[in-house]
Short mmCIF file of all heavy atoms in Angstrom, two decimals:
data_model
loop_
_atom_site.label_atom_id
_atom_site.label_comp_id
_atom_site.label_asym_id
_atom_site.label_seq_id
_atom_site.Cartn_x
_atom_site.Cartn_y
_atom_site.Cartn_z
N MET A 1 18.90 13.55 -17.62
CA MET A 1 17.74 13.83 -16.79
C MET A 1 17.58 12.69 -15.79
O MET A 1 17.63 11.53 -16.14
CB MET A 1 16.51 13.98 -17.67
CG MET A 1 15.24 14.17 -16.87
SD MET A 1 13.79 14.24 -17.93
CE MET A 1 13.52 15.98 -17.88
N LEU A 2 17.35 13.04 -14.55
CA LEU A 2 17.19 12.06 -13.48
C LEU A 2 15.87 12.31 -12.79
O LEU A 2 15.53 13.45 -12.47
CB LEU A 2 18.34 12.20 -12.48
CG LEU A 2 18.33 11.26 -11.28
CD1 LEU A 2 18.48 9.82 -11.75
CD2 LEU A 2 19.45 11.62 -10.33
N PHE A 3 15.09 11.24 -12.59
CA PHE A 3 13.83 11.39 -11.88
C PHE A 3 13.51 10.09 -11.15
O PHE A 3 14.02 9.04 -11.49
CB PHE A 3 12.69 11.78 -12.82
CG PHE A 3 12.42 10.76 -13.89
CD1 PHE A 3 11.46 9.78 -13.69
CD2 PHE A 3 13.12 10.78 -15.08
CE1 PHE A 3 11.20 8.83 -14.67
CE2 PHE A 3 12.88 9.83 -16.07
CZ PHE A 3 11.91 8.86 -15.86
N ALA A 4 12.64 10.19 -10.14
CA ALA A 4 12.23 9.03 -9.37
C ALA A 4 10.75 8.75 -9.63
O ALA A 4 9.97 9.68 -9.83
CB ALA A 4 12.45 9.27 -7.88
N THR A 5 10.39 7.48 -9.65
CA THR A 5 8.99 7.11 -9.81
C THR A 5 8.58 6.20 -8.68
O THR A 5 9.39 5.47 -8.13
CB THR A 5 8.76 6.39 -11.15
OG1 THR A 5 9.56 5.21 -11.16
CG2 THR A 5 9.11 7.26 -12.32
N SER A 6 7.32 6.24 -8.35
CA SER A 6 6.79 5.36 -7.32
C SER A 6 6.29 4.08 -7.96
O SER A 6 5.53 4.11 -8.92
CB SER A 6 5.62 6.05 -6.59
OG SER A 6 6.08 7.19 -5.93
N GLY A 7 6.72 2.96 -7.42
CA GLY A 7 6.24 1.68 -7.92
C GLY A 7 4.85 1.38 -7.43
O GLY A 7 4.01 0.87 -8.14
N LEU A 8 4.57 1.72 -6.17
CA LEU A 8 3.27 1.41 -5.58
C LEU A 8 2.96 2.45 -4.51
O LEU A 8 3.68 2.57 -3.53
CB LEU A 8 3.31 0.02 -4.96
CG LEU A 8 2.06 -0.53 -4.31
CD1 LEU A 8 0.94 -0.68 -5.33
CD2 LEU A 8 2.36 -1.88 -3.68
N SER A 9 1.91 3.23 -4.72
CA SER A 9 1.47 4.22 -3.74
C SER A 9 0.08 3.82 -3.27
O SER A 9 -0.76 3.46 -4.09
CB SER A 9 1.43 5.62 -4.33
OG SER A 9 2.73 6.03 -4.67
N ILE A 10 -0.18 3.92 -1.97
CA ILE A 10 -1.45 3.49 -1.40
C ILE A 10 -2.03 4.62 -0.56
O ILE A 10 -1.33 5.21 0.26
CB ILE A 10 -1.25 2.22 -0.54
CG1 ILE A 10 -0.72 1.09 -1.42
CG2 ILE A 10 -2.54 1.83 0.16
CD1 ILE A 10 -0.31 -0.14 -0.66
N GLY A 11 -3.31 4.90 -0.76
CA GLY A 11 -4.04 5.85 0.06
C GLY A 11 -5.04 5.10 0.92
O GLY A 11 -5.73 4.21 0.43
N VAL A 12 -5.11 5.43 2.21
CA VAL A 12 -6.03 4.75 3.13
C VAL A 12 -7.00 5.79 3.66
O VAL A 12 -6.60 6.71 4.39
CB VAL A 12 -5.25 4.07 4.28
CG1 VAL A 12 -6.21 3.32 5.20
CG2 VAL A 12 -4.18 3.13 3.74
N HIS A 13 -8.28 5.64 3.30
CA HIS A 13 -9.30 6.64 3.63
C HIS A 13 -10.57 5.96 4.13
O HIS A 13 -10.90 4.86 3.69
CB HIS A 13 -9.62 7.50 2.40
CG HIS A 13 -8.42 8.03 1.72
ND1 HIS A 13 -7.72 9.11 2.20
CD2 HIS A 13 -7.74 7.61 0.62
CE1 HIS A 13 -6.68 9.35 1.41
NE2 HIS A 13 -6.67 8.45 0.44
N ASP A 14 -11.29 6.63 5.01
CA ASP A 14 -12.56 6.15 5.53
C ASP A 14 -13.59 6.09 4.40
O ASP A 14 -13.72 7.05 3.64
CB ASP A 14 -13.04 7.08 6.65
CG ASP A 14 -14.29 6.57 7.31
OD1 ASP A 14 -15.39 6.81 6.74
OD2 ASP A 14 -14.19 5.96 8.39
N ALA A 15 -14.31 4.97 4.28
CA ALA A 15 -15.28 4.81 3.19
C ALA A 15 -16.47 5.75 3.34
O ALA A 15 -17.10 6.11 2.34
CB ALA A 15 -15.76 3.36 3.14
N GLN A 16 -16.81 6.15 4.57
CA GLN A 16 -17.97 6.99 4.79
C GLN A 16 -17.68 8.47 4.56
O GLN A 16 -18.40 9.15 3.85
CB GLN A 16 -18.50 6.79 6.22
CG GLN A 16 -18.91 5.36 6.52
CD GLN A 16 -20.09 4.91 5.66
OE1 GLN A 16 -21.01 5.67 5.43
NE2 GLN A 16 -20.02 3.68 5.18
N ASN A 17 -16.64 8.97 5.20
CA ASN A 17 -16.38 10.42 5.13
C ASN A 17 -15.08 10.78 4.40
O ASN A 17 -14.71 11.93 4.34
CB ASN A 17 -16.37 11.04 6.53
CG ASN A 17 -15.27 10.49 7.41
OD1 ASN A 17 -14.32 9.88 6.93
ND2 ASN A 17 -15.40 10.69 8.71
N HIS A 18 -14.39 9.78 3.87
CA HIS A 18 -13.16 9.95 3.07
C HIS A 18 -12.00 10.58 3.85
O HIS A 18 -11.04 11.07 3.24
CB HIS A 18 -13.44 10.75 1.81
CG HIS A 18 -14.55 10.18 1.00
ND1 HIS A 18 -14.45 9.00 0.31
CD2 HIS A 18 -15.83 10.60 0.81
CE1 HIS A 18 -15.58 8.72 -0.28
NE2 HIS A 18 -16.46 9.67 0.01
N ALA A 19 -12.08 10.56 5.18
CA ALA A 19 -10.98 11.10 5.99
C ALA A 19 -9.77 10.17 5.89
O ALA A 19 -9.90 8.95 5.74
CB ALA A 19 -11.42 11.20 7.45
N ASN A 20 -8.58 10.75 5.95
CA ASN A 20 -7.35 9.96 5.96
C ASN A 20 -7.29 9.14 7.23
O ASN A 20 -7.65 9.62 8.30
CB ASN A 20 -6.13 10.86 5.89
CG ASN A 20 -6.03 11.58 4.57
OD1 ASN A 20 -6.56 11.15 3.56
ND2 ASN A 20 -5.34 12.71 4.57
N LEU A 21 -6.83 7.88 7.13
CA LEU A 21 -6.74 7.00 8.28
C LEU A 21 -5.29 6.67 8.61
O LEU A 21 -4.44 6.62 7.73
CB LEU A 21 -7.49 5.69 8.02
CG LEU A 21 -8.99 5.79 7.83
CD1 LEU A 21 -9.57 4.42 7.50
CD2 LEU A 21 -9.66 6.36 9.07
N ILE A 22 -5.05 6.42 9.89
CA ILE A 22 -3.77 5.88 10.33
C ILE A 22 -3.86 4.37 10.12
O ILE A 22 -4.82 3.74 10.57
CB ILE A 22 -3.51 6.22 11.80
CG1 ILE A 22 -3.37 7.73 11.96
CG2 ILE A 22 -2.28 5.49 12.31
CD1 ILE A 22 -3.31 8.20 13.39
N ALA A 23 -2.89 3.81 9.43
CA ALA A 23 -2.94 2.39 9.11
C ALA A 23 -1.53 1.84 8.93
O ALA A 23 -0.57 2.59 8.74
CB ALA A 23 -3.74 2.15 7.84
N THR A 24 -1.44 0.53 8.97
CA THR A 24 -0.20 -0.18 8.66
C THR A 24 -0.43 -0.93 7.36
O THR A 24 -1.43 -1.63 7.20
CB THR A 24 0.15 -1.17 9.78
OG1 THR A 24 0.30 -0.44 11.00
CG2 THR A 24 1.44 -1.91 9.48
N VAL A 25 0.50 -0.76 6.42
CA VAL A 25 0.40 -1.40 5.11
C VAL A 25 1.55 -2.40 4.99
O VAL A 25 2.71 -2.04 5.18
CB VAL A 25 0.49 -0.34 3.99
CG1 VAL A 25 0.48 -1.01 2.62
CG2 VAL A 25 -0.63 0.67 4.11
N THR A 26 1.19 -3.66 4.68
CA THR A 26 2.20 -4.69 4.46
C THR A 26 2.11 -5.15 3.01
O THR A 26 1.03 -5.50 2.54
CB THR A 26 2.00 -5.89 5.40
OG1 THR A 26 2.07 -5.42 6.75
CG2 THR A 26 3.07 -6.94 5.19
N VAL A 27 3.24 -5.13 2.33
CA VAL A 27 3.33 -5.53 0.93
C VAL A 27 4.31 -6.70 0.85
O VAL A 27 5.43 -6.60 1.35
CB VAL A 27 3.82 -4.35 0.06
CG1 VAL A 27 3.99 -4.77 -1.37
CG2 VAL A 27 2.87 -3.18 0.17
N THR A 28 3.87 -7.81 0.23
CA THR A 28 4.74 -8.98 0.13
C THR A 28 4.80 -9.49 -1.30
O THR A 28 3.86 -9.33 -2.07
CB THR A 28 4.25 -10.13 1.04
OG1 THR A 28 2.94 -10.49 0.66
CG2 THR A 28 4.27 -9.75 2.49
N ASP A 29 5.92 -10.12 -1.61
CA ASP A 29 6.11 -10.82 -2.87
C ASP A 29 7.13 -11.92 -2.60
O ASP A 29 8.33 -11.63 -2.54
CB ASP A 29 6.60 -9.88 -3.96
CG ASP A 29 7.03 -10.65 -5.20
OD1 ASP A 29 6.28 -11.56 -5.62
OD2 ASP A 29 8.12 -10.38 -5.72
N GLY A 30 6.67 -13.14 -2.41
CA GLY A 30 7.60 -14.23 -2.10
C GLY A 30 8.32 -13.97 -0.80
O GLY A 30 7.70 -13.79 0.24
N THR A 31 9.65 -13.87 -0.85
CA THR A 31 10.43 -13.64 0.36
C THR A 31 10.59 -12.15 0.69
O THR A 31 11.02 -11.79 1.77
CB THR A 31 11.84 -14.26 0.24
OG1 THR A 31 12.50 -13.69 -0.90
CG2 THR A 31 11.74 -15.77 0.07
N PHE A 32 10.21 -11.27 -0.24
CA PHE A 32 10.29 -9.82 -0.02
C PHE A 32 9.05 -9.37 0.74
O PHE A 32 7.92 -9.73 0.40
CB PHE A 32 10.35 -9.08 -1.36
CG PHE A 32 10.23 -7.59 -1.24
CD1 PHE A 32 11.33 -6.83 -0.91
CD2 PHE A 32 9.01 -6.96 -1.44
CE1 PHE A 32 11.23 -5.44 -0.79
CE2 PHE A 32 8.90 -5.58 -1.33
CZ PHE A 32 10.01 -4.83 -1.00
N SER A 33 9.25 -8.60 1.80
CA SER A 33 8.13 -8.05 2.57
C SER A 33 8.54 -6.71 3.16
O SER A 33 9.66 -6.56 3.65
CB SER A 33 7.73 -9.01 3.68
OG SER A 33 6.64 -8.50 4.41
N VAL A 34 7.63 -5.75 3.12
CA VAL A 34 7.88 -4.45 3.73
C VAL A 34 6.59 -4.00 4.41
O VAL A 34 5.51 -4.19 3.88
CB VAL A 34 8.37 -3.40 2.70
CG1 VAL A 34 7.36 -3.13 1.64
CG2 VAL A 34 8.81 -2.12 3.38
N THR A 35 6.74 -3.44 5.61
CA THR A 35 5.60 -2.91 6.36
C THR A 35 5.89 -1.46 6.68
O THR A 35 6.96 -1.13 7.18
CB THR A 35 5.38 -3.70 7.67
OG1 THR A 35 5.11 -5.07 7.33
CG2 THR A 35 4.21 -3.14 8.46
N LYS A 36 4.93 -0.60 6.36
CA LYS A 36 5.08 0.84 6.63
C LYS A 36 3.77 1.38 7.17
O LYS A 36 2.70 0.86 6.89
CB LYS A 36 5.46 1.60 5.37
CG LYS A 36 6.87 1.31 4.89
CD LYS A 36 7.32 2.35 3.91
CE LYS A 36 8.77 2.11 3.55
NZ LYS A 36 9.25 3.10 2.60
N SER A 37 3.87 2.46 7.93
CA SER A 37 2.70 3.16 8.43
C SER A 37 2.35 4.30 7.49
O SER A 37 3.22 4.89 6.86
CB SER A 37 2.97 3.71 9.84
OG SER A 37 3.21 2.67 10.74
N THR A 38 1.05 4.59 7.40
CA THR A 38 0.62 5.69 6.55
C THR A 38 1.02 7.02 7.17
O THR A 38 1.13 7.16 8.37
CB THR A 38 -0.90 5.68 6.34
OG1 THR A 38 -1.54 5.81 7.61
CG2 THR A 38 -1.36 4.44 5.62
N ASN A 39 1.26 7.97 6.32
CA ASN A 39 1.55 9.34 6.72
C ASN A 39 0.43 10.20 6.14
O ASN A 39 0.39 10.43 4.94
CB ASN A 39 2.91 9.76 6.20
CG ASN A 39 3.25 11.17 6.59
OD1 ASN A 39 2.59 11.76 7.44
ND2 ASN A 39 4.28 11.73 5.97
N ASN A 40 -0.51 10.64 6.98
CA ASN A 40 -1.63 11.43 6.52
C ASN A 40 -2.48 10.66 5.51
O ASN A 40 -2.95 11.21 4.52
CB ASN A 40 -1.15 12.75 5.92
CG ASN A 40 -2.27 13.77 5.81
OD1 ASN A 40 -3.26 13.69 6.52
ND2 ASN A 40 -2.09 14.73 4.93
N GLY A 41 -2.62 9.33 5.73
CA GLY A 41 -3.46 8.51 4.87
C GLY A 41 -2.78 7.95 3.64
O GLY A 41 -3.36 7.17 2.91
N ASN A 42 -1.51 8.30 3.39
CA ASN A 42 -0.82 7.84 2.18
C ASN A 42 0.52 7.22 2.52
O ASN A 42 1.18 7.63 3.47
CB ASN A 42 -0.61 9.00 1.22
CG ASN A 42 -1.91 9.60 0.78
OD1 ASN A 42 -2.73 8.93 0.16
ND2 ASN A 42 -2.13 10.86 1.11
N VAL A 43 0.92 6.24 1.72
CA VAL A 43 2.21 5.59 1.91
C VAL A 43 2.71 5.07 0.56
O VAL A 43 1.91 4.69 -0.29
CB VAL A 43 2.12 4.44 2.96
CG1 VAL A 43 1.22 3.32 2.48
CG2 VAL A 43 3.48 3.91 3.33
N THR A 44 4.02 5.10 0.38
CA THR A 44 4.66 4.51 -0.79
C THR A 44 5.60 3.42 -0.29
O THR A 44 6.76 3.69 0.02
CB THR A 44 5.43 5.56 -1.61
OG1 THR A 44 4.54 6.60 -1.99
CG2 THR A 44 6.05 4.95 -2.86
N PRO A 45 5.08 2.18 -0.13
CA PRO A 45 5.90 1.13 0.45
C PRO A 45 6.97 0.57 -0.48
O PRO A 45 7.96 0.03 -0.03
CB PRO A 45 4.89 0.05 0.82
CG PRO A 45 3.76 0.27 -0.10
CD PRO A 45 3.73 1.74 -0.41
N VAL A 46 6.76 0.68 -1.79
CA VAL A 46 7.68 0.07 -2.74
C VAL A 46 8.00 1.06 -3.86
O VAL A 46 7.28 1.14 -4.85
CB VAL A 46 7.08 -1.21 -3.34
CG1 VAL A 46 8.09 -1.93 -4.21
CG2 VAL A 46 6.59 -2.14 -2.24
N PRO A 47 9.06 1.86 -3.71
CA PRO A 47 9.38 2.82 -4.76
C PRO A 47 10.07 2.15 -5.95
O PRO A 47 11.09 1.51 -5.80
CB PRO A 47 10.31 3.81 -4.07
CG PRO A 47 10.91 3.05 -2.96
CD PRO A 47 9.91 2.00 -2.55
N GLY A 48 9.47 2.26 -7.13
CA GLY A 48 10.09 1.85 -8.37
C GLY A 48 10.49 0.39 -8.49
O GLY A 48 11.43 0.08 -9.20
N ARG A 49 9.79 -0.52 -7.84
CA ARG A 49 10.13 -1.96 -7.91
C ARG A 49 9.00 -2.71 -8.61
O ARG A 49 8.01 -3.08 -7.99
CB ARG A 49 10.35 -2.53 -6.51
CG ARG A 49 10.82 -3.96 -6.50
CD ARG A 49 11.10 -4.41 -5.07
NE ARG A 49 11.67 -5.74 -5.03
CZ ARG A 49 10.96 -6.86 -4.96
NH1 ARG A 49 9.65 -6.81 -4.94
NH2 ARG A 49 11.57 -8.02 -4.92
N PRO A 50 9.12 -2.97 -9.92
CA PRO A 50 8.08 -3.70 -10.63
C PRO A 50 7.98 -5.14 -10.12
O PRO A 50 8.99 -5.80 -9.94
CB PRO A 50 8.53 -3.68 -12.09
CG PRO A 50 9.72 -2.81 -12.16
CD PRO A 50 10.22 -2.59 -10.78
N CYS A 51 6.75 -5.59 -9.89
CA CYS A 51 6.54 -6.94 -9.39
C CYS A 51 5.04 -7.18 -9.22
O CYS A 51 4.23 -6.31 -9.50
CB CYS A 51 7.25 -7.10 -8.05
SG CYS A 51 7.85 -8.76 -7.78
N THR A 52 4.68 -8.36 -8.74
CA THR A 52 3.30 -8.68 -8.38
C THR A 52 3.25 -8.85 -6.87
O THR A 52 4.02 -9.63 -6.31
CB THR A 52 2.82 -9.96 -9.08
OG1 THR A 52 2.92 -9.77 -10.49
CG2 THR A 52 1.38 -10.28 -8.71
N TYR A 53 2.36 -8.12 -6.20
CA TYR A 53 2.35 -8.04 -4.74
C TYR A 53 1.03 -8.52 -4.14
O TYR A 53 -0.02 -8.46 -4.79
CB TYR A 53 2.55 -6.59 -4.29
CG TYR A 53 3.86 -6.00 -4.70
CD1 TYR A 53 3.95 -5.13 -5.77
CD2 TYR A 53 5.02 -6.32 -4.01
CE1 TYR A 53 5.17 -4.59 -6.15
CE2 TYR A 53 6.24 -5.78 -4.38
CZ TYR A 53 6.30 -4.92 -5.45
OH TYR A 53 7.50 -4.39 -5.83
N ASN A 54 1.11 -8.91 -2.88
CA ASN A 54 -0.05 -9.10 -2.03
C ASN A 54 -0.01 -7.97 -1.01
O ASN A 54 1.04 -7.69 -0.44
CB ASN A 54 -0.01 -10.46 -1.33
CG ASN A 54 -0.07 -11.60 -2.32
OD1 ASN A 54 -0.68 -11.50 -3.37
ND2 ASN A 54 0.59 -12.69 -2.00
N ILE A 55 -1.15 -7.32 -0.77
CA ILE A 55 -1.21 -6.14 0.08
C ILE A 55 -2.22 -6.36 1.20
O ILE A 55 -3.32 -6.84 0.96
CB ILE A 55 -1.63 -4.90 -0.73
CG1 ILE A 55 -0.66 -4.67 -1.89
CG2 ILE A 55 -1.72 -3.67 0.16
CD1 ILE A 55 -1.15 -3.66 -2.90
N THR A 56 -1.82 -6.00 2.43
CA THR A 56 -2.72 -6.01 3.58
C THR A 56 -2.67 -4.64 4.24
O THR A 56 -1.60 -4.11 4.48
CB THR A 56 -2.31 -7.09 4.61
OG1 THR A 56 -2.29 -8.36 3.97
CG2 THR A 56 -3.28 -7.13 5.78
N VAL A 57 -3.86 -4.08 4.51
CA VAL A 57 -3.95 -2.79 5.19
C VAL A 57 -4.71 -3.02 6.49
O VAL A 57 -5.81 -3.57 6.49
CB VAL A 57 -4.70 -1.74 4.32
CG1 VAL A 57 -4.84 -0.43 5.08
CG2 VAL A 57 -3.98 -1.54 3.00
N SER A 58 -4.10 -2.59 7.62
CA SER A 58 -4.71 -2.72 8.94
C SER A 58 -4.84 -1.34 9.56
O SER A 58 -3.88 -0.58 9.60
CB SER A 58 -3.85 -3.60 9.85
OG SER A 58 -3.67 -4.87 9.29
N SER A 59 -6.05 -1.03 10.03
CA SER A 59 -6.30 0.25 10.69
C SER A 59 -7.07 -0.04 11.98
O SER A 59 -8.03 -0.82 11.96
CB SER A 59 -7.12 1.15 9.77
OG SER A 59 -7.33 2.41 10.37
N PRO A 60 -6.65 0.57 13.10
CA PRO A 60 -7.32 0.30 14.37
C PRO A 60 -8.83 0.54 14.30
O PRO A 60 -9.27 1.57 13.79
CB PRO A 60 -6.67 1.30 15.34
CG PRO A 60 -5.36 1.65 14.71
CD PRO A 60 -5.59 1.56 13.23
N GLY A 61 -9.60 -0.44 14.75
CA GLY A 61 -11.05 -0.32 14.77
C GLY A 61 -11.73 -0.68 13.46
O GLY A 61 -12.96 -0.64 13.38
N ASP A 62 -10.97 -1.03 12.43
CA ASP A 62 -11.55 -1.38 11.13
C ASP A 62 -11.12 -2.79 10.74
O ASP A 62 -10.11 -3.31 11.20
CB ASP A 62 -11.08 -0.40 10.05
CG ASP A 62 -11.65 0.99 10.24
OD1 ASP A 62 -12.89 1.10 10.31
OD2 ASP A 62 -10.86 1.95 10.34
N GLN A 63 -11.90 -3.39 9.86
CA GLN A 63 -11.57 -4.71 9.34
C GLN A 63 -10.37 -4.60 8.40
O GLN A 63 -10.27 -3.63 7.63
CB GLN A 63 -12.77 -5.28 8.60
CG GLN A 63 -12.58 -6.69 8.09
CD GLN A 63 -13.85 -7.21 7.43
OE1 GLN A 63 -14.84 -6.51 7.29
NE2 GLN A 63 -13.81 -8.46 7.04
N ASP A 64 -9.45 -5.57 8.45
CA ASP A 64 -8.31 -5.57 7.54
C ASP A 64 -8.79 -5.66 6.10
O ASP A 64 -9.81 -6.28 5.79
CB ASP A 64 -7.37 -6.75 7.82
CG ASP A 64 -6.57 -6.57 9.09
OD1 ASP A 64 -6.70 -5.52 9.75
OD2 ASP A 64 -5.82 -7.51 9.43
N TRP A 65 -8.04 -5.03 5.20
CA TRP A 65 -8.31 -5.07 3.77
C TRP A 65 -7.15 -5.79 3.11
O TRP A 65 -5.99 -5.50 3.40
CB TRP A 65 -8.44 -3.65 3.23
CG TRP A 65 -8.71 -3.55 1.76
CD1 TRP A 65 -9.93 -3.52 1.17
CD2 TRP A 65 -7.74 -3.44 0.71
NE1 TRP A 65 -9.79 -3.40 -0.19
CE2 TRP A 65 -8.46 -3.36 -0.50
CE3 TRP A 65 -6.35 -3.43 0.68
CZ2 TRP A 65 -7.82 -3.25 -1.73
CZ3 TRP A 65 -5.71 -3.31 -0.55
CH2 TRP A 65 -6.44 -3.22 -1.74
N MET A 66 -7.46 -6.75 2.23
CA MET A 66 -6.40 -7.50 1.55
C MET A 66 -6.69 -7.57 0.05
O MET A 66 -7.84 -7.69 -0.36
CB MET A 66 -6.31 -8.91 2.14
CG MET A 66 -5.89 -8.89 3.58
SD MET A 66 -5.99 -10.45 4.52
CE MET A 66 -5.91 -11.73 3.39
N ARG A 67 -5.63 -7.48 -0.72
CA ARG A 67 -5.73 -7.63 -2.17
C ARG A 67 -4.50 -8.41 -2.64
O ARG A 67 -3.36 -8.05 -2.27
CB ARG A 67 -5.80 -6.26 -2.84
CG ARG A 67 -5.85 -6.23 -4.33
CD ARG A 67 -7.17 -6.67 -4.97
NE ARG A 67 -8.35 -6.12 -4.37
CZ ARG A 67 -9.03 -5.06 -4.82
NH1 ARG A 67 -8.62 -4.42 -5.88
NH2 ARG A 67 -10.11 -4.65 -4.20
N ASN A 68 -4.70 -9.46 -3.42
CA ASN A 68 -3.61 -10.28 -3.93
C ASN A 68 -3.39 -10.02 -5.42
O ASN A 68 -4.29 -9.58 -6.13
CB ASN A 68 -3.90 -11.77 -3.70
CG ASN A 68 -3.91 -12.12 -2.24
OD1 ASN A 68 -3.17 -11.56 -1.45
ND2 ASN A 68 -4.76 -13.04 -1.86
N ASP A 69 -2.19 -10.32 -5.87
CA ASP A 69 -1.80 -10.25 -7.28
C ASP A 69 -1.94 -8.85 -7.88
O ASP A 69 -2.43 -8.68 -8.99
CB ASP A 69 -2.60 -11.26 -8.10
CG ASP A 69 -2.38 -12.68 -7.61
OD1 ASP A 69 -1.25 -13.00 -7.21
OD2 ASP A 69 -3.34 -13.47 -7.62
N VAL A 70 -1.48 -7.83 -7.13
CA VAL A 70 -1.46 -6.46 -7.64
C VAL A 70 -0.19 -6.29 -8.45
O VAL A 70 0.92 -6.46 -7.93
CB VAL A 70 -1.51 -5.45 -6.47
CG1 VAL A 70 -1.36 -4.03 -6.99
CG2 VAL A 70 -2.78 -5.62 -5.66
N GLN A 71 -0.32 -5.97 -9.72
CA GLN A 71 0.83 -5.87 -10.61
C GLN A 71 1.31 -4.43 -10.73
O GLN A 71 0.52 -3.52 -10.95
CB GLN A 71 0.50 -6.40 -11.98
CG GLN A 71 0.25 -7.88 -11.99
CD GLN A 71 0.03 -8.42 -13.40
OE1 GLN A 71 -0.02 -7.66 -14.37
NE2 GLN A 71 -0.06 -9.71 -13.52
N VAL A 72 2.62 -4.27 -10.55
CA VAL A 72 3.28 -2.98 -10.76
C VAL A 72 4.27 -3.18 -11.88
O VAL A 72 5.13 -4.06 -11.82
CB VAL A 72 3.99 -2.51 -9.47
CG1 VAL A 72 4.78 -1.24 -9.75
CG2 VAL A 72 3.00 -2.31 -8.35
N LYS A 73 4.13 -2.40 -12.94
CA LYS A 73 5.01 -2.56 -14.11
C LYS A 73 6.01 -1.45 -14.20
O LYS A 73 5.88 -0.40 -13.68
CB LYS A 73 4.17 -2.61 -15.37
CG LYS A 73 3.25 -3.80 -15.37
CD LYS A 73 2.47 -3.85 -16.64
CE LYS A 73 1.59 -5.10 -16.58
NZ LYS A 73 1.07 -5.52 -17.82
#
């Protein structure tokens, strides 16, 4: 049996009306870094890679959101 799992999936939505937002998501861990744009409010920047990440989400017209030490097992 073969299957794929997502290591880290991120949804970016407006806090007021919950609409999907266009955003750029940057995920870093030491020297590893990946930046992806959301597709309909969702993005999977790191498929199946267990680690501890720092995440930054940037959306035009909104304040950046950052979270450090997010663990993916």
Side-chain angles (χ1 to χ4, degrees):
M1 175 184 257
L2 179 64
F3 61 94
T5 60
S6 297
L8 181 63
S9 295
I10 298 172
V12 183
H13 311 282
D14 185 278
Q16 300 296 319
N17 63 17
H18 306 289
N20 293 336
L21 295 177
I22 295 171
T24 301
V25 176
T26 302
V27 177
T28 60
D29 170 46
T31 59
F32 171 82
S33 181
V34 63
T35 300
K36 290 196 175 180
S37 297
T38 60
N39 180 12
N40 197 22
N42 299 299
V43 65
T44 303
V46 186
R49 185 176 185 270
C51 212
T52 301
Y53 298 102
N54 297 328
I55 302 168
T56 303
V57 178
S58 302
S59 182
D62 292 304
Q63 184 176 4
D64 287 358
W65 180 90
M66 296 170 24
R67 178 72 46 99
N68 293 326
D69 301 323
V70 175
Q71 293 185 355
V72 175
K73 297 182 179 197

